[in-house]
Amino acid sequence: MYNLDEFQLSLPEDFTLIFVLWKIIHPMSFKRIAFLVSLALCGFHSFSQQNAQKLIDQYKDSLNNLAHVMQRGANDSSRFASAAVYSSIINFILSDSSSFTASFDSVPNLSVRTSPDKAVRLYTWVTADYAGSLYRYSGFIQAQKNKSTRLYALYDSTETIEKPLSKKLKADHWLGAIYYNIIQNEKNGKKYYTLLGWKAMNETTTRKIIDVLTFDSGKPSFGLPVFKANNIYNNRVIFEFTSQAA
């Protein structure tokens, strides 16, 4: 239990449209990306011939190029179109269960964290608009159980989440963040994971988030009322900093 009174301190569905956009913003890499589309449209049959680590090695240059545009693109269109393609490639790789133990060290702009019990893996990243006024978070969860691996996409819904301290959230309605640590816990015989996250809101405001990940009927859920402040139990903790204090 955390007593804060004492504690001071999304996947694109239309591959064709996305890759046309990518051809416009980065034509030098289009042949490689187009090859990925053909694999996707063919049902990813190549998985029988390649494992995830080989796919990472194959697409690391494209991911590097995409990450560069996501971070340094001259306009919002190029940044978010690149982010959509980046997300599609990550999804493509993670669809292979061998990716759970693969190394993503060569993939830029991607935070990968594995739980201490090796049952959960989190992949998160962020794309900012050119002005630095909007940060859009993306991610996936992999969960292993009974020798099978399930993949869940995370969709940032920050702008529509009211009262984020008290809301229990799902993968498709997620308070986006970059997770930098996972702590394994147990309460009343049930396992849960405390997540430490970083979240830029705009060019002057950042947040640190303490959230909790559980699995309800096998599906990920965020938030657990274990954080006490002013005699109220909240589902998560959010600290906000200005640019001068962050």
Side-chain angles (χ1 to χ4, degrees):
M1 192 74 66
Y2 301 88
N3 190 336
L4 296 186
D5 294 329
E6 302 175 358
F7 188 42
Q8 302 297 322
L9 292 173
S10 334
L11 284 165
E13 297 179 356
D14 190 341
F15 278 80
T16 303
L17 175 58
I18 288 166
F19 282 90
V20 166
L21 290 172
W22 177 243
K23 183 178 180 181
I24 294 171
I25 62 176
H26 207 303
M28 292 299 292
S29 299
F30 178 69
K31 287 185 178 179
R32 174 172 286 184
I33 303 299
F35 178 64
L36 177 63
V37 180
S38 68
L39 292 177
L41 295 178
C42 290
F44 308 126
H45 293 317
S46 63
F47 276 140
S48 61
Q49 301 174 0
Q50 300 186 72
N51 62 29
Q53 196 63 61
K54 290 181 180 179
L55 289 171
I56 293 169
D57 294 340
Q58 181 176 352
Y59 294 113
K60 64 182 180 182
D61 290 342
S62 293
L63 290 166
N64 201 333
N65 292 335
L66 289 161
H68 178 78
V69 179
M70 289 161 64
Q71 297 169 345
R72 304 291 181 183
N75 54 64
D76 294 349
S77 297
S78 63
R79 289 181 178 220
F80 289 112
S82 297
V85 182
Y86 183 97
S87 180
S88 295
I89 297 176
I90 297 298
N91 182 35
F92 175 69
I93 295 170
L94 296 182
S95 296
D96 182 351
S97 61
S98 71
S99 62
F100 193 89
T101 56
S103 171
F104 286 80
D105 290 347
S106 63
V107 179
N109 201 39
L110 180 67
S111 174
V112 182
R113 294 294 180 267
T114 306
S115 63
D117 60 359
K118 311 297 183 186
V120 175
R121 218 177 194 197
L122 292 171
Y123 305 80
T124 51
W125 66 93
V126 63
T127 308
D129 67 0
Y130 183 78
S133 60
L134 172 66
Y135 285 75
R136 185 170 297 160
Y137 295 83
S138 304
F140 290 95
I141 296 175
Q142 282 180 319
Q144 284 197 329
K145 186 175 182 180
N146 300 326
K147 296 183 179 181
S148 66
T149 303
R150 293 186 177 182
L151 180 65
Y152 305 91
L154 298 174
Y155 298 95
D156 188 4
S157 300
T158 299
E159 297 176 356
T160 63
I161 296 173
E162 298 180 358
K163 299 180 180 179
L165 293 180
S166 60
K167 288 288 185 179
K168 194 156 188 178
L169 304 171
K170 303 295 184 182
D172 61 356
H173 194 60
W174 170 57
L175 187 66
I178 301 295
Y179 296 123
Y180 58 87
N181 199 6
I182 306 178
I183 303 166
Q184 185 177 330
N185 310 94
E186 188 169 314
K187 183 176 185 290
N188 298 328
K190 183 177 180 179
K191 186 186 300 183
Y192 65 96
Y193 304 94
T194 302
L195 309 179
L196 306 184
W198 171 90
K199 182 179 182 66
M201 297 297 294
N202 51 53
E203 57 186 349
T204 62
T205 304
T206 61
R207 292 176 176 176
K208 297 290 181 66
I209 296 175
I210 306 175
D211 210 337
V212 176
L213 172 66
T214 58
F215 288 86
D216 299 332
S217 301
K219 295 183 178 181
S221 177
F222 294 90
L224 197 68
V226 294
F227 303 98
K228 184 181 179 182
N230 300 322
N231 294 319
I232 297 174
Y233 287 94
N234 293 314
N235 277 315
R236 63 187 52 80
V237 182
I238 301 175
F239 300 101
E240 187 164 295
F241 306 88
T242 64
S243 58
Q244 291 82 3

